[in-house]
Amino acid sequence: MFVKFPLRPILRPVLIFLFIMSFYQVLVSGGVLPASDGVSLLQNNIVKTQRYVYQDNSDLKMVMVGSSLAANLNIKDIGEGVKSIALGGGASQTGLEIVKRSKSKPPIVLVEINDTIVRKIDTELMDSLYHPIFYWLRQYLPMMREEYRPISIFVDFFKSRSKPNQKMTREALDRLEGRYLTPELSQKSIQTIVDIQSQPLSKQDAENIKKEAEFIKTQIAEINKNSGAKVVLFDIPQESRVNAAIRRKQVQELAKKLFPSDRFEWLPPPKEREWRTNDGVHLIRSDARDFAEFLRDQLLGTVATGSLGTAPRKESL
């Protein structure tokens, strides 16, 4: 004998829920609700990667992968058609894996190469991006993406109102930096990094870099094969005292041996100058803007000309 289940008590809340979700999707699709960039480092990483995986990249000119050093650069200062999947606390391998698995075919892939590559690929993030069910949901229902979480939109809205104008003068930007607001604390952080980089590169660290470099070579080869993208390797200046330290120089020399210039294309370094940070590694905003503009001048013309500055073109593998 069948037991009659009362549907009326649950039907109304279900209909209300579906109406709210549908209305929210309309607001998202109609552009009424502004997307959030994320209110934490982890969420910002998720937002950037989801945008690359799920959004239309038909006008993409260049994608940049790397760590927080590259993530510190404002892609708007580089130019239109540029996306960044450089991840705070991450490394280039995760971004390269996303580029490799994505349907997008960027003409240029800019890859940060330094000692941050020892962090390896973020498998948890990759599993989340390409989960069979959620991939489909996020692809066709944007409200399911991280950037449209209601609390994130709310918090990001108020944060954006207090952000300084990125086109402020160099002097105005510099006055907001920690190295000028709290110079003693900033110099202490910088000195800590200088002390670390003043120690020679250990054999274990060198082996870890070599191991990850081999994995990156495989990723680059697959990207070349699947999309024909031009892969350009680069490093980002750090505090001038850090750049002069022995470990930093040893890592750079090792990177050039692992990725020789006759097989891989390296971005020519910028002109010698003083580079400033608040913590020894991440450029302050005005210097980050300078480096971003350097990338723009060196790279955005390569889509049409196939040349990189005055350097001869080389195959990535």
Side-chain angles (χ1 to χ4, degrees):
M1 185 175 181
F2 293 102
V3 178
K4 203 169 185 180
F5 186 78
L7 292 177
R8 188 177 296 273
I10 66 169
L11 184 59
R12 185 175 180 182
V14 168
L15 291 175
I16 293 174
F17 172 77
L18 291 176
F19 172 77
I20 293 174
M21 295 296 286
S22 300
F23 183 66
Y24 193 74
Q25 174 63 35
V26 169
L27 294 178
V28 168
S29 300
V32 178
L33 291 178
S36 167
D37 290 329
V39 296
S40 67
L41 179 65
L42 175 61
Q43 193 178 45
N44 179 257
N45 286 346
I46 296 172
V47 168
K48 281 198 290 188
T49 54
Q50 286 186 357
R51 284 175 178 170
Y52 188 84
V53 172
Y54 304 128
Q55 290 183 353
D56 176 30
N57 292 317
S58 57
D59 61 345
L60 189 62
K61 296 178 181 177
M62 181 173 75
V63 60
M64 176 172 62
V65 304
S67 70
S68 60
L69 277 71
N72 187 47
L73 304 176
N74 188 337
I75 58 171
K76 292 180 180 178
D77 292 329
I78 301 177
E80 294 182 0
V82 179
K83 282 196 173 183
S84 170
I85 40 178
L87 308 175
S92 294
Q93 296 93 306
T94 303
L96 283 171
E97 194 67 18
I98 292 171
V99 172
K100 187 182 78 174
R101 296 180 64 171
S102 174
K103 297 177 182 178
S104 303
K105 298 184 183 299
I108 300 174
V109 181
L110 185 60
V111 185
E112 177 191 343
I113 297 292
N114 46 45
D115 56 357
T116 61
I117 66 173
V118 299
R119 296 173 185 166
K120 302 182 179 181
I121 193 169
D122 188 339
T123 55
E124 185 176 343
L125 177 60
M126 294 302 301
D127 290 342
S128 170
L129 287 171
Y130 293 99
H131 187 282
I133 297 175
F134 290 114
Y135 180 90
W136 183 88
L137 286 174
R138 295 175 187 136
Q139 182 76 52
Y140 298 103
L141 295 174
M143 70 175 181
M144 301 297 294
R145 300 173 192 169
E146 196 74 20
E147 61 185 333
Y148 289 114
R149 284 197 175 190
I151 186 63
S152 301
I153 292 175
F154 179 78
V155 173
D156 206 46
F157 172 75
F158 287 100
K159 283 176 62 178
S160 63
R161 297 185 66 179
S162 62
K163 284 183 181 178
N165 187 341
Q166 292 299 312
K167 290 304 179 183
M168 293 169 63
T169 64
R170 170 180 294 274
E171 293 74 18
L173 275 176
D174 288 351
R175 284 196 293 269
L176 300 174
E177 298 291 350
R179 65 184 291 130
Y180 300 108
L181 293 174
T182 55
E184 291 185 4
L185 182 61
S186 180
Q187 288 304 314
K188 184 177 180 180
S189 298
I190 293 171
Q191 188 59 50
T192 298
I193 299 299
V194 171
D195 292 342
I196 293 172
Q197 293 292 332
S198 295
Q199 301 299 316
L201 181 67
S202 70
K203 290 184 178 179
Q204 185 59 57
D205 285 346
E207 287 302 316
N208 291 339
I209 291 174
K210 291 176 183 178
K211 181 180 178 181
E212 291 304 314
E214 291 304 313
F215 180 64
I216 290 174
K217 290 177 185 179
T218 302
Q219 290 180 304
I220 291 174
E222 292 188 40
I223 290 172
N224 284 151
K225 180 181 178 181
N226 296 334
S227 68
K230 178 177 181 177
V231 179
V232 181
L233 312 183
F234 81 119
D235 194 8
I236 301 174
Q238 300 179 21
E239 186 78 23
S240 294
R241 285 187 289 156
V242 174
N243 288 332
I246 182 172
R247 188 182 189 278
R248 169 83 166 146
K249 288 185 175 295
Q250 288 176 329
V251 169
Q252 291 175 324
E253 290 172 3
L254 179 59
K256 290 298 178 70
K257 289 180 181 178
L258 295 172
F259 299 93
S261 58
D262 61 337
R263 294 177 59 204
F264 297 88
E265 187 159 9
W266 281 87
L267 183 77
K271 292 181 180 179
E272 288 288 335
R273 54 164 282 184
E274 179 186 5
W275 294 99
R276 301 166 298 165
T277 70
N278 290 319
D279 58 5
V281 293
H282 300 93
L283 295 174
I284 62 173
R285 277 167 289 191
S286 59
D287 285 19
R289 179 194 290 174
D290 289 345
F291 189 73
E293 291 173 350
F294 166 75
L295 294 179
R296 177 196 64 201
D297 295 340
Q298 290 288 321
L299 292 165
L300 285 193
T302 65
V303 176
T305 64
S307 61
L308 200 157
T310 58
R313 176 162 185 176
K314 303 178 179 66
E315 296 299 326
S316 294
L317 258 180

